[in-house]
Amino acid sequence: MDTTLSDPLVDRLLDGRYAIEARLARGGMASVYLATDVRLERRVAVKVMHPALAEDPEFVARFNREARAAARLSHPDAVSVYDQGSDDGHVFLVMEFVAGSTLREVLRQRGKLSPGEAVAVMDHVLAALAAAHAAGLVHRDVKPENVLVTADGRVKVADFGLARAITGSTLTTDDSVLLGTAAYLAPEQVRDGAADARSDVYSAGVMLFELLTGTPPYQGDTPMAVAYRHMSDDVPAPSSRARGIPAELDALVADATARDPHRRPADGGVLHRRLEEVRDRLGLHAAVPAPATDLTVQVPRAGATGAATTSGTQTTTALPPAPPAGGDDARRPRRRWPFVLALVVLLAAVAGVAGWWLAAGRYTHAPSLLGLTAQQAEQKLHAEGLHWRFLPRVYSDSIREDLVAVQTPKAGERVGNGATVALRLSKGPEQVPVPDVSGKTVKQARAALAAVHLTVDKKKSAYSDTVAAGHVIRTEPSSGTRLHVDTGVTLVVSKGVRPVRVPDVTGMPLNKAEQQLTRAGFTLGPITRHYNDSIRDGSVIATSPGGNALVAPGATVSIDVSKGPHLYQVPDVTGMKIGDAIKAIQNAGFKADPKQIFPAGPGKVVRETPTGMQPRGTTIELDYF
């Protein structure tokens, strides 16, 4: 590689320890060199920041701080950071030696991966992110350039923590920061520069999309144009770009790339578990695609092969296998203190992670799910790394049917990672059918309504030809109508049959009275006869019920018929003295009307009229002289 011949760092012993052998790649922020750690006699990769960055004290301090944080991460799927420092203005980072190619180069050679291969790669990537997030470390620049693939199928994620140091530098412009990473930036990173574990989840979702389809979801004329697409558009389903992609992988990409961070899986660990569930459910067990042999780069000084990428602001390097160490530096006695220091750092990191996990890391908070559909609740719980189960539905006066009405634990309560949240969907307001209480007494109707949690609001009366008085004719609303519980119902209670008026037939001849009562629908009852001084014989004295009385239709009406007045014998008082005659007439119940027809006579009755049988009270004329 002729480009290394004029590089001032080649053949230099950096920091008195790292023998620089060749420059493998040069990016916008750093150059990567193949080197040998002469103390530990091992091949390493050394990333040296460009001088413009090294001259910024704030960047150097930040770089050192982030590098130390990255060094605490120890995971088989993450490129280890061994050391960091500066030498004569050169700020550098010493990393694990990895033989192979970047995932970007694999994509260039393959175009896209099969669903099984994509899942196999992401299995390692998300395992590394899960370990980093558990240790409180955020990558901030997840992309294919920062993923290394070895010939034997190992995958390693590089450059943990460095994006924060670089993007915080005042010497970089927006374009330089976004160049090469805009395709993977989470919306919140574009909007306000904020990044957390969910931002890495978003970038991982975009990378999964690219592995499945061969291209990032968005294209644009400038990095900023691409970045703003992440803020305004939802990442499309991979199956819309390529065939043969299962719906489960579409859903996984959709969840990971939700524009709202709170709707994504909480961290790499949650997304990793979901990926494993999809993999096992679909049987997507494939090997990691090995890089093509012609992707390696020859390193003349070392006589070995390696791979590097020069695109993007974050240059990721895969280094060739190290040759046997030799020379005077290689024969120096080994020193044990770096190993002891590394062990101390590792133990401290393990203790810190364990303490965090026991105190808070194994817990999360139940999200608010009330009012969501079942699908929305499932997606939100997926994003939080929680499981769910649906219990029988419940009635709710405030939450519409088919939405979540009850959740246990409640929103905001602390729950363990991966815990199960019980959900109950709403059946809407509780409604019950009005029971049929027709024909029942009011007391019986009240009991039947109370049994279904309804009440009697009021009562009203009505006539009924079929329901006995005091019994329920119907309810308002009618039976079968569904009402909310505790609603009042009106009882319509029978007053019996509507009464009719008895015709007044008093004084009518019996035959005419009978005809009129029969036409009115009444039944003729027994006929009785009595003397009556005012009603002539054969006419109606009275009826029972009486005339104009209100009675049930078809009621029986009895008739009292007159036999005329009762007659009595008028006493014969002819020849009696007038005084005695008057007394005799009056004692018989008649009235006496004496008339003297000749004065100076003996005072005896000579004629009386009328005579025979007469009604009492009749006036009897008595003629005397």
Side-chain angles (χ1 to χ4, degrees):
M1 297 172 55
D2 294 339
T3 56
T4 68
L5 298 179
S6 60
D7 193 309
L9 285 178
V10 175
D11 291 330
R12 176 170 174 173
L13 188 65
L14 195 63
D15 200 26
R17 176 173 181 177
Y18 304 106
I20 306 298
E21 301 179 12
R23 189 176 74 197
L24 299 179
R26 179 179 174 84
M29 297 296 172
S31 294
V32 181
Y33 298 88
L34 173 64
T36 297
D37 181 351
V38 297
R39 294 182 185 174
L40 300 180
E41 300 178 1
R42 67 178 175 186
R43 277 290 181 83
V44 293
V46 179
K47 178 173 285 192
V48 181
M49 299 298 115
H50 291 335
L53 292 173
E55 292 174 0
D56 181 3
E58 181 181 351
F59 168 75
V60 173
R62 185 181 299 108
F63 175 81
N64 291 338
R65 184 168 59 251
E66 293 303 318
R68 285 194 296 270
R72 295 199 301 268
L73 177 62
S74 177
H75 191 275
D77 292 323
V79 173
S80 298
V81 175
Y82 295 146
D83 194 9
Q84 58 81 28
S86 62
D87 183 356
D88 194 21
H90 300 293
V91 178
F92 64 88
L93 183 72
V94 181
M95 299 178 296
E96 177 187 1
F97 163 82
V98 179
S101 301
T102 66
L103 184 58
R104 170 63 62 206
E105 290 164 328
V106 174
L107 284 174
R108 285 173 182 162
Q109 189 260 339
R110 294 286 300 275
K112 64 180 180 180
L113 305 184
S114 69
E117 291 173 331
V119 168
V121 171
M122 294 303 299
D123 185 20
H124 293 281
V125 172
L126 294 178
L129 289 179
H133 295 163
L137 193 63
V138 179
H139 192 289
R140 294 181 176 83
D141 195 21
V142 177
K143 58 185 179 180
E145 287 82 354
N146 283 334
V147 178
L148 308 181
V149 182
T150 68
D152 58 354
R154 290 182 294 126
V155 177
K156 284 185 174 282
V157 181
D159 280 359
F160 276 97
L162 299 185
R164 178 174 178 181
I166 293 174
T167 56
S169 173
T170 59
L171 298 179
T172 59
T173 66
D174 287 343
D175 285 342
S176 68
V177 171
L178 294 176
L179 181 61
T181 64
Y184 308 93
L185 286 178
E188 62 271 18
Q189 289 177 281
V190 180
R191 182 175 56 251
D192 51 26
D196 59 12
R198 297 174 195 264
S199 306
D200 284 352
V201 166
Y202 184 94
S203 301
V206 173
M207 190 164 73
L208 176 57
F209 179 98
E210 184 175 4
L211 296 182
L212 292 168
T213 65
T215 60
Y218 305 127
Q219 304 290 334
D221 295 333
T222 65
M224 291 304 296
V226 174
Y228 285 129
R229 289 287 301 277
H230 289 280
M231 295 177 60
S232 61
D233 299 340
D234 291 328
V235 172
S239 61
S240 67
R241 300 273 186 92
R243 295 180 179 178
I245 297 175
E248 287 84 348
L249 289 179
D250 281 343
L252 193 65
V253 170
D255 287 348
T257 59
R259 281 186 285 165
D260 181 357
H262 297 290
R263 295 184 59 189
R264 298 176 207 150
D267 55 31
V270 176
L271 184 58
H272 187 212
R273 288 193 293 272
R274 290 203 54 198
L275 179 81
E276 291 176 322
E277 291 172 359
V278 171
R279 177 197 64 195
D280 295 340
R281 188 160 58 247
L282 298 179
L284 296 176
H285 297 282
V288 173
T293 56
D294 58 359
L295 291 178
T296 58
V297 179
Q298 297 298 321
V299 184
R301 295 181 57 84
T305 59
T309 177
T310 59
S311 62
T313 59
Q314 297 288 338
T315 303
T316 306
T317 305
L319 297 176
D328 294 337
D329 288 335
R331 290 192 292 268
R332 294 178 183 176
R334 297 186 179 183
R335 301 176 62 180
R336 297 183 58 84
W337 67 267
F339 172 77
V340 175
L341 177 61
L343 182 60
V344 171
V345 171
L346 176 62
L347 291 175
V350 170
V353 171
W356 169 83
W357 175 257
L358 292 174
R362 58 177 173 168
Y363 295 104
T364 185
H365 291 86
S368 177
L369 305 171
L370 299 184
L372 300 182
T373 64
Q375 183 178 7
Q376 290 170 336
E378 290 174 4
Q379 291 174 348
K380 198 166 186 179
L381 289 168
H382 262 312
E384 298 291 343
L386 299 172
H387 300 285
W388 65 90
R389 63 189 177 103
F390 287 96
L391 300 179
R393 296 186 176 215
V394 295
Y395 292 105
S396 174
D397 292 332
S398 58
I399 296 179
R400 295 200 316 271
E401 187 176 2
D402 294 330
L403 303 183
V404 176
V406 178
Q407 68 172 92
T408 307
K410 296 180 180 179
E413 290 186 4
R414 195 169 77 158
V415 297
N417 290 328
T420 298
V421 177
L423 303 175
R424 293 179 182 266
L425 297 181
S426 171
K427 294 196 288 188
E430 182 175 5
Q431 294 182 328
V432 294
V434 177
D436 184 3
V437 295
S438 58
K440 297 181 181 295
T441 65
V442 172
K443 182 178 180 181
Q444 292 170 335
R446 285 185 185 275
L449 291 168
V452 295
H453 306 290
L454 296 176
T455 61
V456 176
D457 184 33
K458 60 181 180 179
K459 295 185 298 180
K460 63 181 184 180
S461 301
Y463 293 108
S464 175
D465 294 338
T466 57
V467 179
H471 292 246
V472 176
I473 302 172
R474 65 181 183 274
T475 56
E476 294 179 354
S478 60
S479 61
T481 303
R482 299 190 70 84
L483 299 178
H484 295 175
V485 295
D486 298 325
T487 300
V489 174
T490 297
L491 295 180
V492 181
V493 182
S494 176
K495 295 191 293 183
V497 178
R498 183 182 295 277
V500 293
R501 198 175 296 277
V502 177
D504 187 0
V505 295
T506 302
M508 286 186 182
L510 176 61
N511 60 341
K512 290 185 177 180
E514 289 177 330
Q515 291 175 0
Q516 187 165 343
L517 289 171
T518 301
R519 285 197 300 266
F522 293 99
T523 301
L524 296 180
I527 298 174
T528 57
R529 297 178 181 273
H530 296 89
Y531 291 107
N532 189 283
D533 293 340
S534 60
I535 303 297
R536 67 173 177 261
D537 184 18
S539 295
V540 176
I541 301 172
T543 58
S544 179
N548 294 318
L550 292 174
V551 297
T556 299
V557 178
S558 300
I559 303 175
D560 188 11
V561 180
S562 174
K563 294 192 294 183
H566 194 172
L567 300 181
Y568 295 90
Q569 182 64 48
V570 177
D572 184 7
V573 293
T574 304
M576 293 178 63
K577 289 190 177 290
I578 188 63
D580 295 335
I582 291 173
K583 288 181 180 178
I585 292 297
Q586 289 177 340
N587 289 337
F590 300 101
K591 293 179 182 179
D593 181 19
K595 288 184 178 180
Q596 190 175 16
I597 60 174
F598 186 79
K604 292 183 178 180
V605 175
V606 295
R607 185 176 57 247
E608 62 180 295
T609 55
T611 60
M613 301 297 290
Q614 299 294 333
R616 280 180 176 171
T618 300
T619 299
I620 306 299
E621 182 178 339
L622 298 177
D623 296 333
Y624 69 94
F625 66 92

